[in-house]
Amino acid sequence: MSIRIKLIIIFLAIALVPIVLVGTLNFYQAKAALERAALLRLNLVTVAKKAGVMEYLMGKKGRTMDFASDGFIRDQMEVLSTTASSEERIQASKLLNAHLKSNKKPLDREILEIRVLDLSGRVIGTSEGEYLLGLGAGNNQPYFLEGRSKTYLQDVSTYIYQGIEKVEEVIIIGSPLKSRTTGEIIGVLANFYNLENIKDVLLGIKSHEWGQLPEAKEVSSRDIFIVNQAGFLLTPSKKIAGYLPLKFKITTAPALKAISASTAINTAWLDIQGNEVLGASALLQIEPDWKWILVTEQDKDEVLLPVYELRIFSVTIGFLVVLAVIAIALVMAQSIARPLRKVTEAADKISKGESWVKIAIASKDEVGKLASSFNRMVDKRKLIEEELRIAKTKAGEEKTKCEVVLASIGDGMVVVNQEGFIMMMNHEAEAMFGWDIREAGGKSFIELVPCEDEKGNFIPYKDRITSLALCGKTTAHSIGYYYRENNTKFPANV
């Protein structure tokens, strides 16, 4: 693996490991913090919407109680309850209807109808049409049954108001009518409100058709809706197309938790489409015997979008850092590899016989020191080679002198080194032993030329004259029989 690749790997590890660790840690911390902030914000929205809805409903209950305390209504109700004359009853009924329509209903534009019922549950006064008079429209309804003793708001899921033009889901509030003379309860006054008003209060709007989904221009996926205690949807949800009241049952975590355990939650769950959302729920205990569940939720992906965008930005920065690191590593690798390449090329030239190669590197770093050491080595080698050349010349001269001396000696002469290996032989020795110097040179004299004593016994290595001379480092003399190359022997005085 080249230095360039190694540097790139090392630099990337040094740069990316901290980026990845810190980036991952920051991502999860930011994600957790953003989730907590979103849950807190959604919970605050839910609490505020709950307060708005409860204030609206309590205001309508107060309006109904106020109408039930109206003296004219109570007087006409008492006339209708006590007189036996049909003409008086008809006249009192007309006056009551006109009063409800002209004087009371205009006080609250959100009222669909005002009804007055006697203690048997028959309609004896209405703001909308005389055709309802005499009908037992409320004798089995909670707003009438409970309204005879207290002001009571009836859950929309238990009654559908049959309007003049269309069928509408309504909220009905009943309040007792008391006699002005005896103080006894003589009937019930009921105000009818369209369920759509709850949606308007919940969403803060006043002109919204049932079933109409939010416009595409809305960016936020935040969804706010109400379900009743049976789990049926009362107000529109962005997640449901073709919405109709009381037709869609919600089985998500906040509804199930509120229905089963009367508990509100503020956490993450799966919405009706199976997407993960963050949200909060609240219980609206309208009456002691029934409640609504208000739910606020928002897509988790939308909540965490800033974190995801930050992650994309971090990845982009990381990619740019990688490119910068690679570029820096390449530059540094080149700055290191170039002088090392010069050293390598110089070493190759020296190995091929170019003795005077030097490296021109002026840097003061380790590579520069290496080049200086290399140049000193070349200088030292040059000096050694010069010394060897001179020594070789002198040795050649000495050898020539020795050869001249050997050649001038009439006796056979053999020169061995300290290990007993033959170095030189004169012509007389070659003729005497039958060996040519080219064959015998570098071989052991003792092994090459066996020797016997006068009795024909081979003389051991340690007793040979050569061994004695080398070991004793002194002149030695002996007579023996030596073998020639052709295995003949001859006596010699050594």
Side-chain angles (χ1 to χ4, degrees):
M1 186 181 295
S2 66
I3 292 179
R4 181 178 303 175
I5 300 301
K6 290 180 180 178
L7 283 176
I8 290 175
I9 293 174
I10 293 172
F11 276 50
L12 286 178
I14 294 173
L16 291 183
V17 169
I19 290 177
V20 171
L21 291 178
V22 174
T24 302
L25 182 62
N26 288 340
F27 172 76
Y28 284 106
Q29 288 180 341
K31 182 180 177 182
L34 197 58
E35 284 186 12
R36 290 193 298 269
L39 288 173
L40 177 60
R41 183 173 62 253
L42 291 169
N43 188 58
L44 293 175
V45 171
T46 303
V47 171
K49 294 298 182 180
K50 173 184 176 180
V53 173
M54 292 298 293
E55 181 181 8
Y56 174 82
L57 293 176
M58 294 306 103
K60 297 309 179 185
K61 287 183 74 173
R63 175 71 69 183
T64 305
M65 294 172 64
D66 177 62
F67 283 6
S69 66
D70 183 274
F72 184 83
I73 295 176
R74 294 161 68 186
D75 290 342
Q76 298 305 312
M77 183 64 189
E78 195 164 1
V79 171
L80 290 170
S81 300
T82 57
T83 185
S85 171
S86 60
E87 290 184 2
E88 291 182 2
R89 289 174 61 84
I90 292 173
Q91 182 62 28
S93 179
K94 288 182 177 180
L95 291 174
L96 179 59
N97 291 346
H99 179 69
L100 294 175
K101 184 175 183 179
S102 302
N103 299 328
K104 306 308 292 183
K105 187 178 179 181
L107 297 177
D108 189 347
R109 297 182 180 276
E110 293 183 341
I111 294 177
L112 291 175
E113 180 186 357
I114 306 173
R115 288 183 187 177
V116 176
L117 296 87
D118 61 17
L119 292 178
S120 65
R122 292 182 299 110
V123 179
I124 59 175
T126 176
S127 63
E128 298 306 314
E130 294 181 357
Y131 71 93
L132 294 172
L133 297 178
L135 295 178
N139 53 8
N140 63 345
Q141 296 300 318
Y143 79 88
F144 171 72
L145 299 175
E146 297 290 337
R148 291 179 299 181
S149 59
K150 62 181 179 179
T151 302
Y152 183 83
L153 196 155
Q154 179 175 302
D155 190 355
V156 68
S157 62
T158 61
Y159 185 79
I160 298 179
Y161 163 68
Q162 300 290 336
I164 297 176
E165 298 179 354
K166 60 180 179 179
V167 176
E168 294 180 295
E169 289 73 18
V170 297
I171 299 169
I172 309 172
I173 305 173
S175 186
L177 289 168
K178 296 181 180 180
S179 170
R180 295 180 71 181
T181 56
T182 64
E184 296 179 353
I185 295 175
I186 56 177
V188 174
L189 182 142
N191 284 345
F192 289 68
Y193 294 93
N194 197 319
L195 179 61
E196 188 179 41
N197 296 330
I198 298 298
K199 177 214 49 175
D200 293 340
V201 172
L202 192 64
L203 302 180
I205 54 177
K206 281 298 179 181
S207 57
H208 207 89
E209 294 290 337
W210 283 115
Q212 180 178 337
L213 290 175
E215 297 181 7
K217 66 181 181 180
E218 292 191 20
V219 177
S220 176
S221 63
R222 182 183 297 173
D223 195 13
I224 305 175
F225 56 88
I226 294 176
V227 298
N228 65 9
Q229 61 184 358
F232 287 97
L233 191 63
L234 297 180
T235 60
S237 168
K238 294 180 179 180
K239 310 293 177 63
I240 295 178
Y243 161 80
L244 288 174
L246 304 174
K247 300 299 181 183
F248 297 92
K249 190 164 187 178
I250 305 300
T251 57
T252 56
L256 297 177
K257 196 73 173 179
I259 293 170
S260 63
S262 296
T263 303
I265 60 176
N266 182 206
T267 183
W269 62 75
L270 298 180
D271 65 9
I272 55 178
Q273 296 178 341
N275 300 319
E276 191 171 8
V277 297
L278 299 176
S281 63
L283 299 178
L284 281 68
Q285 195 70 47
I286 312 298
E287 296 291 349
D289 57 341
W290 65 273
K291 61 180 177 289
W292 286 346
I293 302 100
L294 190 152
V295 179
T296 305
E297 61 185 25
Q298 187 173 0
D299 288 350
K300 190 174 182 179
D301 288 341
E302 183 184 60
V303 172
L304 300 179
L305 182 61
V307 177
Y308 295 142
E309 291 176 345
L310 179 61
R311 181 172 62 179
I312 294 173
F313 176 76
S314 299
V315 171
T316 303
I317 294 299
F319 178 73
L320 295 177
V321 169
V322 168
L323 294 180
V325 166
I326 292 175
I328 294 172
L330 289 175
V331 172
M332 294 193 66
Q334 187 67 19
S335 66
I336 296 174
R338 187 182 296 110
L340 290 179
R341 193 181 303 115
K342 290 182 179 180
V343 174
T344 303
E345 292 173 354
D348 289 339
K349 290 180 180 179
I350 291 175
S351 67
K352 294 177 182 179
E354 298 183 28
S355 303
W356 315 118
V357 178
K358 284 193 174 183
I359 306 172
I361 298 177
S363 62
K364 302 298 182 181
D365 55 11
E366 286 74 8
V367 178
K369 293 178 180 179
L370 175 62
S372 299
S373 298
F374 187 90
N375 290 335
R376 286 195 298 271
M377 180 194 71
V378 171
D379 292 337
K380 188 68 175 177
R381 183 175 183 271
K382 178 181 177 182
L383 180 61
I384 293 173
E385 286 182 351
E386 182 64 22
E387 292 175 350
L388 288 174
R389 186 186 64 77
I390 295 172
K392 184 176 180 181
T393 302
K394 290 182 179 180
E397 293 174 353
E398 293 297 327
K399 182 179 179 182
T400 302
K401 291 180 181 179
C402 290
E403 288 177 349
V404 171
V405 172
L406 288 174
S408 65
I409 297 174
D411 297 329
M413 180 173 287
V414 178
V415 179
V416 298
N417 60 15
Q418 290 182 349
E419 286 77 23
F421 293 101
I422 299 172
M423 297 177 62
M424 297 175 61
M425 295 174 65
N426 61 4
H427 295 297
E428 284 72 13
E430 290 178 350
M432 185 180 297
F433 294 108
W435 291 97
D436 188 273
I437 185 59
R438 290 172 294 184
E439 298 174 336
K443 295 181 180 179
S444 173
F445 176 75
I446 296 174
E447 294 178 357
L448 186 67
V449 183
C451 180
E452 296 178 353
D453 59 15
E454 294 176 349
K455 297 180 180 180
N457 299 319
F458 279 98
I459 300 174
Y461 171 79
K462 63 186 177 95
D463 296 332
R464 291 282 294 269
I465 185 68
T466 309
S467 299
L468 294 174
L470 291 174
C471 293
K473 298 182 180 180
T474 183
T475 305
H477 179 268
S478 70
I479 298 174
Y481 292 87
Y482 291 87
Y483 281 82
R484 297 184 179 91
E485 188 271 338
N486 59 8
N487 210 28
T488 60
K489 60 183 180 179
F490 64 94
N493 187 1
V494 180

